[in-house]
Amino acid sequence: MRLVGWRSEVTLSSARRRRARRESAAGSRAGPRPAPVTTLPAQFDEWQIELHGRRVIYRVAGSGPPVVLIHGMLNSSSHWRSVALSLASEHTVIAPDLIGHGDSAAPRGDYSLGAHAASIRDLLAAIGVDRATIVGHSLGGGVAMQFFYQFPQRVERLVLVSSGGLGRDVSPLLRTAALPGVSGALSLTINPRLLRALRSGGERLRARGVPAGIYLQAIARALAPLENADARGAFLHTLRSVIDIHGQRVSANDRLYLLESMPTLIVWGGRDNTIPLQHGRSAHEAIPGSRFHVLDSAAHFPHLEDPDGLSQALRDFIASTEPALIEDGDWGSILERRSPRSRRLGVAEG
């Protein structure tokens, strides 16, 4: 596996590694031995890449089989820090900033789930990752499912954390944010004074051991980019692609059967008031062989509210499952079994 932009400047392709082993076995006649691959540092390094002329930020930690962490609405790759460092001893962890989120570019363009999934595919292809365990939180869960749907051959396992796209219900706050005119209200509401109040309030609550403090700090981090007009536009385009006044507009429920041969873990916060816990239970029942894990102390941000619990659930799941490999022929077989067809008889009208 080759990762472009890592600190290791001496990264060997698989072909070069095979050649190096042959030369080493041949002894001194093969010439100087190749420099060893540098072990990655135990930190969550930030990198920038230009994809299609646009800036994409991603963070990397560790080494080993790759795990991709996809953040949710108004979040960024930095929110995965605790989980990424926990997994880094056994895995290469890659966390992108979705387009329009974090420090990635926020162009005028397509912010659908399919566009986000394609952007992640392009990032992974550019840094040399062919297949990975894909983990998605909230909106990122919808992106992860769309990634599987579009590129099943690139997915080894799927993990959905308090995921969107599994039912209509969603918090009134998100439904309201999808209304026309919200952009102007956000430009007036989001200001440094509000953000400071949220951060300080979160710090005081956390100091008193109140879990809501973490939630407030997460909101402050999420809202900070919305001071920028381009980021506000990207947020609203993304939001309205999946949510309207009636709730979630996009659902994967009619296609969950496609995951029958994909190791799937569903994790939910037991106190989640943003997306109902029942969405996770129903998806678990619909996906053959899936696993369902509830983190009782967490609400909608398990990776922030209980990173140790989520990390342990991820490690246990990955260690106890074999990576899937779905080829084009396998995909056709899955669809064929669940897609009855019959010939339509009659005389075609001219």
Side-chain angles (χ1 to χ4, degrees):
M1 180 181 61
R2 171 179 56 85
L3 288 178
V4 175
W6 284 16
R7 287 188 176 180
S8 173
E9 298 293 340
V10 197
T11 308
L12 303 178
S13 67
S14 57
R16 290 175 63 196
R17 286 196 295 269
R18 288 194 296 271
R19 186 169 66 250
R21 285 195 293 268
R22 290 196 300 269
E23 292 173 350
S24 177
S28 59
R29 290 175 299 172
R33 293 183 179 181
V37 175
T38 303
T39 302
L40 290 172
Q43 58 189 39
F44 205 23
D45 284 342
E46 179 180 319
W47 295 96
Q48 175 177 318
I49 187 172
E50 297 291 325
L51 285 177
H52 315 303
R54 295 168 179 166
R55 179 183 69 256
V56 175
I57 301 300
Y58 64 102
R59 289 176 166 83
V60 180
S63 60
V67 175
V68 177
L69 305 176
I70 308 174
H71 65 75
M73 191 94 65
L74 284 177
N75 282 201
S76 74
S77 57
S78 64
H79 289 190
W80 286 110
R81 180 178 180 81
S82 295
V83 173
L85 292 179
S86 179
L87 298 177
S89 61
E90 301 168 0
H91 298 278
T92 298
V93 184
I94 305 142
D97 280 358
L98 295 176
I99 291 295
H101 292 72
D103 292 319
S104 286
R108 179 178 174 82
D110 186 358
Y111 287 91
S112 65
L113 295 178
H116 284 306
S119 294
I120 292 173
R121 186 276 311 272
D122 290 347
L123 169 64
L124 296 180
I127 64 176
V129 177
D130 296 326
R131 302 170 63 240
T133 294
I134 307 295
V135 182
H137 165 252
S138 196
L139 168 73
V143 175
M145 287 187 284
Q146 187 69 28
F147 186 93
F148 163 77
Y149 183 59
Q150 293 178 205
F151 315 111
Q153 68 278 7
R154 289 181 167 272
V155 183
E156 295 185 338
R157 301 173 187 83
L158 183 67
V159 182
L160 306 175
V161 183
S162 296
S163 177
L166 297 173
R168 174 173 288 189
D169 298 331
V170 72
S171 71
L173 179 62
L174 287 177
R175 294 202 304 270
T176 301
L179 290 172
V182 167
S183 180
L186 285 175
S187 65
L188 295 173
T189 304
I190 306 303
N191 56 70
R193 180 179 296 179
L194 170 66
L195 298 177
R196 284 196 300 270
L198 288 172
R199 291 190 193 99
S200 62
E203 290 172 1
R204 288 195 298 271
L205 289 175
R206 289 190 69 179
R208 298 206 303 264
V210 179
I214 298 175
Y215 196 84
L216 279 182
Q217 290 179 313
I219 292 174
R221 284 193 297 267
L223 292 178
L226 296 186
E227 291 186 274
N228 177 276
D230 290 339
R232 285 198 302 274
F235 159 66
L236 291 173
H237 283 305
T238 301
L239 178 72
R240 290 167 181 166
S241 72
V242 293
I243 292 175
D244 61 20
I245 188 60
H246 303 292
Q248 296 189 68
R249 301 175 56 229
V250 180
S251 173
N253 287 337
D254 61 344
R255 303 180 193 193
L256 293 179
Y257 71 90
L258 295 170
L259 290 162
E260 64 180 35
S261 59
M262 176 61 57
T264 303
L265 171 66
I266 301 168
V267 182
W268 226 269
R271 301 185 299 106
D272 195 338
N273 293 317
T274 301
I275 301 179
L277 176 65
Q278 185 55 42
H279 287 199
R281 294 191 189 281
S282 297
H284 168 54
E285 293 170 0
I287 302 172
S290 64
R291 301 183 189 182
F292 185 55
H293 186 76
V294 177
L295 296 170
D296 293 326
S297 64
H300 187 60
F301 298 95
H303 54 306
L304 297 173
E305 296 155 330
D306 188 5
D308 292 339
L310 177 57
S311 299
Q312 188 60 53
L314 290 172
R315 280 195 299 271
D316 291 346
F317 172 64
I318 294 172
S320 62
T321 54
E322 292 296 323
L325 177 58
I326 297 179
E327 304 287 4
D328 288 342
D330 302 323
W331 192 250
S333 297
I334 295 171
L335 284 169
E336 185 179 20
R337 292 197 302 273
R338 298 290 292 267
S339 304
R341 59 179 174 171
S342 59
R343 183 181 179 186
R344 300 185 65 186
L345 302 177
V347 179
E349 295 181 2

